[in-house]
Amino acid sequence: VDTCPTGAITEPGPGRGLTSAHRPAATRTTCGYCGVGCALDVITSDAEVTAVLPARDGPVNQGHACVKGRFAHGYLTSSERLTRPLLRRHGRLESVGWDEALGHVARGLREAADTGGPDTVAAISSARATNEENYLVQKFMRVVIGTNNVDNCSRLCHSPSAAGLTASFGLSGGTDSFDDVERSDCLLVVGANPVEAHPVVGARLLRRVLRGAKLVVADPRAVGLALHADVHLRPRPGTNVALFHGLAHVLLAEGLTDEEFLRERATGLPELVELLDDYPPDRVADVTGVPAADLVAAARLYGRAGRPAIVYGLGVTEHLHGTDGVRSLANLAILRGAVGSDRGHGVNPLRGQNNVQGASDMGALPDLLPGYGKVTDPAVRSRAEAVWGVQVPERPGMRIPDMFAAARAGELRALWVIGEDVCATDPDANRVAEALDACPLVVCNELFLSETARHADVVLPVASWLEKDGTFVNFDRRFQRVRPAVPPPGEARSDFDVVRALAALMGADLDCSAPADALAECGRVAPVFAGLSHERLDREGAVPWPCPDPGRPGQAKLYAERFATPDGRAHLASAPYLPPGETPDDDYPLVLVTGRRWAHYNSGSMTRRGGNLALDPVDFLDLHPDDAARYGVRDGAQVGVESRHGRARLIARISEQTATGQAFCSFHFPASGVNRLTSDHADTVTSCPEYKVTAVRVTVG
Ligand SMILES: Nc1nc2c(c(=O)[nH]1)N[C@H]1C(S)=C(S)[C@@H](COP(=O)(O)OP(=O)(O)OC[C@H]3O[C@@H](n4cnc5c(=O)[nH]c(N)nc54)[C@H](O)[C@@H]3O)O[C@H]1N2
Ligand SMILES: Nc1nc2c(c(=O)[nH]1)N[C@H]1C(S)=C(S)[C@@H](COP(=O)(O)OP(=O)(O)OC[C@H]3O[C@@H](n4cnc5c(=O)[nH]c(N)nc54)[C@H](O)[C@@H]3O)O[C@H]1N2
Ligand code: SF4
Ligand SMILES: [Mo]
């Protein structure tokens, strides 16, 4: 649209004719969909968005944007947007004023905390919301309620990255900036589909490959980048740990490791060498289905490159042993000396939501305060206590799945769900709905009457990213500003205002009167953010953390001198391969992988309400032609999909993108019921659901 030389392709709607070179006054903000963090210029007319254009000087996107950030803003004016609070009376949600709705919530939370104790109240904070909102939500739970029961959707997504990267290197984030990754001469893209899920990154990676970088893709499916790969490894879903150990085995066997780096900067080598004895290519081929020759070829490309980089996604984390996957993937960079050095560009998760990095950075986690200090550490607590003026509870709170289990057991009296459609996107959805129904008070901050909102007692209408002020942190740890381009509809308020108003009603003052104050206060609790402020971001654009000093740049590349682990070294991990939680059998013969498609976003609540629906109108089940023939499924036919946990209905699409014995679908259309299929198996370290492996059968008709 921007560069079409003949004008044959133009921006649809009122934005027609606007290009990034020729545009009226605009609001500069950061995209509120995925974690790439594209800078966007939003053009408005009469308080409505007419066009969203990628910023040429956007630090990450450099003039690019995808079909979501650029075009999926129709939801703003959808007639289904919530504009007034809703309160359940006699079983029905009825429209009420804010005073009544908030009064009901304040009384309910107070009563729950007074009768059952603070730990019978819990909140799920939103990775779609700003840093300042997340900071306030966790502060509200810790200061006003007195519990650490707060979590965010990082739990469902990259919590294994947080745990794994912290254990291997010391900090909870990717090791390098994406600009550096892009200078790599060999890219190892693992369990990620950036062409669809992070399109601007996908395009930048592809450009690098077209200019000569080697590419190894590890994904069971023939994803977009795989078509350009020098080697495409197609492991059976759930066998990553064996695959990575196989690659490490070859690096060692062929002398492709960096001995000096291993001696000076790493620990754990003897244990790993012993473990890797059990992972010769032939054995790994049996476990993963990847031919031994491909494994050797991939290891040689990574091992011989000048500056290799690892980029990975949920195909690594959303498994029963997701944290082991992250750690054994990190082993490769350590063995090769390609992290924290000039011999490579580390290990970089393509984090998902616009602000999932930030929600966790801000301490919306049950065991960690802002800046990742442990709640169990008295020194960390006392720093927060000095700023907040109250005692911080020392017992770690519940993770999301524990909250649901507690609700089902009658032990949770109130749950506040802020911007997560848990009934649609959490696994084993039938049981999530049971949990909400068993909890006496469920409050939901939402844009729409989501599946979760339908189970709530109070629904509070809120502003979305194009309607509010704050900051997000993108996947390579950059803080960027979010600015309102249009007002929220009707009586909707920002999550920030809602949390403050509720605290005030409960007799507490959260201090921060505007988002800028919240970020400033967070910097006092967490020294790694002390150098950040709205004013600085307005001046400089993007600033990465760690950033302890307002006068110095943030650190984009980590660990140049030492790792942030207690001993300053990178830690090799020696976890053996263990099989996934679900295995196919005669009754459920196919392995279902779930993930993303390009036009829709997660629950689809925003992308299904606008033009993107026309681009991708139905929910498909991808099947290999051999399996389609085996089960008598025609292309385009309605099919039932059954797992040991539930049932879904989808439209079959037959192609060789999916391997035999496997099936793939998205979870962007909650009505199809995909998350009724997925199980409650979860990563043994972090409770991240095993969304990538579910045994299913397909029925026709
Ligand atoms: N269009 C779009 N973009 C999005 C989103 C969206 O919903 N739609 N969501 C955002 C969010 S929240 C996130 S977290 C990111 C996720 O971004 P990605 O991580 O790229 O997304 P997925 O499609 O879930 O999974 C990636 C790949 O993992 C592969 N995989 C599955 N099992 C295995 C395995 O055992 N081993 C290996 N090596 N690979 C495996 C799958 O085949 C899939 O292609 O995307 C973000 N961007
Ligand atoms: N089967 C399967 N399920 C998955 C996954 C998978 O790969 N497979 N991936 C998982 C992953 S990685 C993730 S991150 C989750 C995502 O799951 P969710 O977080 O539930 O998904 P979203 O659709 O991004 O957003 C949730 C809700 O927030 C609302 N919302 C948007 N902006 C705001 C805001 O500013 N404030 C408030 N209060 N609400 C807002 C939207 O209307 C939407 O209903 O899904 C997980 N579920
Ligand atoms: S790539 Fe991600 S951040 Fe960029 S426009 Fe698309 S959804 Fe938004
Ligand atoms: Mo995610």
Side-chain angles (χ1 to χ4, degrees):
V1 171
D2 266 347
T3 56
C4 176
T6 64
I9 304 173
T10 57
E11 175 95 18
R16 194 185 166 100
L18 297 178
T19 67
S20 34
H22 172 74
R23 59 177 70 170
T27 306
R28 171 65 58 91
T29 193
T30 305
C31 179
Y33 287 105
C34 90
V36 173
C38 294
L40 303 174
D41 286 331
V42 184
I43 319 270
T44 58
S45 161
D46 296 331
E48 281 198 14
V49 172
T50 48
V52 177
L53 304 176
R56 284 247 167 117
D57 56 347
V60 197
N61 54 319
Q62 304 167 348
H64 293 260
C66 82
V67 70
K68 297 179 299 299
R70 183 156 188 165
F71 297 117
H73 49 81
Y75 76 86
L76 285 168
T77 53
S78 159
S79 59
E80 293 172 289
R81 257 318 270 280
L82 298 174
T83 56
R84 294 200 75 206
L86 304 173
L87 179 63
R88 188 171 299 279
R89 280 198 193 113
H90 316 297
R92 287 187 41 218
L93 285 169
E94 290 175 9
S95 178
V96 295
W98 273 100
D99 289 347
E100 193 174 353
L102 286 180
H104 187 91
V105 177
R107 278 191 305 278
L109 294 183
R110 179 56 66 214
E111 195 182 300
D114 286 350
T115 26
D119 290 337
T120 60
V121 179
I124 298 175
S125 196
S126 182
R128 306 299 301 277
T130 62
N131 290 316
E132 294 75 4
E133 293 170 332
N134 278 283
Y135 177 77
L136 228 51
V137 172
Q138 62 82 34
K139 184 176 176 186
F140 176 89
M141 292 307 285
R142 290 178 166 130
V143 168
V144 183
I145 305 291
T147 176
N148 285 310
N149 285 341
V150 57
D151 205 355
N152 76 81
C153 79
S154 171
R155 183 68 52 212
L156 317 178
C157 181
H158 274 284
S159 54
S161 295
L165 294 174
T166 303
S168 293
F169 304 124
L171 292 177
S172 178
T175 59
D176 288 59
S177 83
F178 187 68
D179 299 330
D180 286 333
V181 169
E182 215 191 17
R183 281 190 273 277
S184 160
D185 58 351
C186 175
L187 298 161
L188 175 54
V189 180
V190 188
N193 181 13
V195 168
E196 297 195 60
H198 299 85
V200 167
V201 158
R204 284 181 66 179
L205 293 175
L206 180 56
R207 182 173 62 186
R208 186 72 198 127
V209 171
L210 295 175
R211 289 179 182 167
K214 298 290 180 211
L215 175 65
V216 177
V217 170
D219 197 304
R221 299 186 304 136
V223 288
L225 279 182
L227 309 178
H228 302 269
D230 295 279
V231 182
H232 178 194
L233 308 170
R234 299 186 80 164
R236 287 186 196 104
T239 63
N240 284 327
V241 174
L243 180 77
F244 305 153
H245 286 338
L247 293 169
H249 180 106
V250 178
L251 292 179
L252 274 170
E254 304 207 349
L256 298 172
T257 57
D258 185 332
E259 285 173 27
E260 188 196 329
F261 183 94
L262 289 169
R263 208 170 40 243
E264 306 290 329
R265 300 199 58 190
T267 64
L269 186 61
E271 297 83 348
L272 182 63
V273 169
E274 199 186 321
L275 177 87
L276 292 180
D277 250 4
D278 289 341
Y279 295 86
D282 288 340
R283 176 175 173 239
V284 171
D286 288 343
V287 176
T288 63
V290 171
D294 288 353
L295 194 76
V296 172
R300 285 180 183 158
L301 285 175
Y302 183 81
R304 289 177 182 162
R307 293 183 315 284
I310 294 172
V311 172
Y312 74 93
L314 299 179
V316 176
T317 58
E318 287 178 341
H319 287 288
L320 184 61
H321 301 287
T323 303
D324 289 348
V326 172
R327 295 212 60 194
S328 43
L329 183 60
N331 281 350
L332 302 178
I334 302 171
L335 286 171
R336 189 51 195 64
V339 54
S341 76
D342 55 7
R343 281 154 288 170
H345 300 297
V347 186
N348 302 283
L350 289 177
R351 299 214 57 167
Q353 302 259 43
N354 54 314
N355 199 35
V356 64
Q357 176 76 46
S360 301
D361 294 350
M362 294 296 116
L365 291 170
D367 53 339
L368 300 170
L369 291 174
Y372 298 96
K374 291 196 170 77
V375 287
T376 49
D377 180 341
V380 168
R381 280 202 311 278
S382 69
R383 201 168 50 223
E385 286 163 358
V387 179
W388 295 342
V390 296
Q391 278 221 317
V392 174
E394 59 179 272
R395 196 155 66 100
M398 286 186 267
R399 297 170 172 181
I400 292 171
D402 305 329
M403 295 176 191
F404 298 143
R408 284 189 295 263
E411 288 157 12
L412 192 71
R413 289 171 189 255
L415 178 63
W416 190 5
V417 186
I418 301 170
E420 185 169 322
D421 191 358
V422 293
C423 286
T425 57
D426 274 57
D428 209 355
N430 290 332
R431 303 198 68 221
V432 175
E434 263 171 51
L436 297 191
D437 294 341
C439 184
L441 176 66
V442 176
V443 183
C444 183
N445 288 25
E446 252 299 341
L447 315 183
F448 295 101
L449 196 64
S450 63
E451 299 294 312
T452 304
R454 287 176 212 281
H455 290 268
D457 303 289
V458 185
V459 184
L460 303 173
V462 291
S464 72
W465 61 284
L466 284 159
E467 301 155 338
K468 63 187 173 187
D469 179 65
T471 57
F472 294 152
V473 189
N474 81 334
F475 76 101
D476 66 352
R477 291 178 282 105
R478 285 184 245 211
F479 275 78
Q480 300 189 89
R481 286 280 277 126
V482 178
R483 301 185 184 89
V486 289
E491 295 175 20
R493 298 184 186 175
S494 68
D495 291 299
F496 192 88
D497 289 346
V498 173
V499 182
R500 285 197 80 237
L502 190 58
L505 263 186
M506 296 176 73
D509 183 355
L510 290 177
D511 282 333
C512 316
S513 56
D517 306 331
L519 185 60
E521 184 181 294
C522 179
R524 292 200 283 133
V525 177
V528 282
F529 308 129
L532 293 153
S533 64
H534 280 209
E535 190 221 336
R536 178 174 184 179
L537 295 167
D538 286 339
R539 218 172 40 240
E540 294 180 26
V543 180
W545 75 266
C547 182
D549 185 338
R552 308 202 34 198
Q555 251 175 287
K557 186 178 177 75
L558 298 176
Y559 316 129
E561 266 119 48
R562 72 192 300 278
F563 289 93
T565 49
D567 61 5
R569 286 165 169 264
H571 289 220
L572 290 161
S574 299
Y577 162 74
L578 296 167
E582 292 243 318
T583 29
D585 58 18
D586 289 347
D587 288 336
Y588 301 98
L590 292 167
V591 173
L592 176 71
V593 175
T594 59
R596 274 108 193 121
R597 305 215 192 258
W598 66 297
H600 290 295
Y601 193 79
N602 291 343
S603 70
S605 78
M606 293 149 96
T607 49
R608 282 182 287 103
R609 294 183 168 98
N612 284 40
L613 187 62
L615 297 170
D616 191 4
V618 290
D619 211 358
F620 289 111
L621 178 77
D622 296 348
L623 276 178
H624 189 278
D626 293 350
D627 290 319
R630 184 168 308 128
Y631 304 114
V633 176
R634 275 180 306 103
D635 194 54
Q638 264 231 0
V639 288
V641 183
E642 289 168 30
S643 76
R644 297 173 184 121
H645 318 281
R647 223 170 168 276
R649 293 196 72 76
L650 298 156
I651 306 292
R653 184 163 69 181
I654 297 167
S655 86
E656 288 177 10
Q657 197 186 29
T658 308
T660 49
Q662 296 169 26
F664 177 83
C665 68
S666 80
F667 59 106
H668 304 318
F669 294 78
S672 309
V674 166
N675 271 324
R676 290 184 209 133
L677 301 170
T678 48
S679 74
D680 67 357
H681 289 293
D683 176 37
T684 51
V685 179
T686 65
S687 311
C688 180
E690 190 183 43
Y691 289 120
K692 298 300 188 239
V693 184
T694 308
V696 297
R697 63 172 165 243
V698 174
T699 57
V700 182

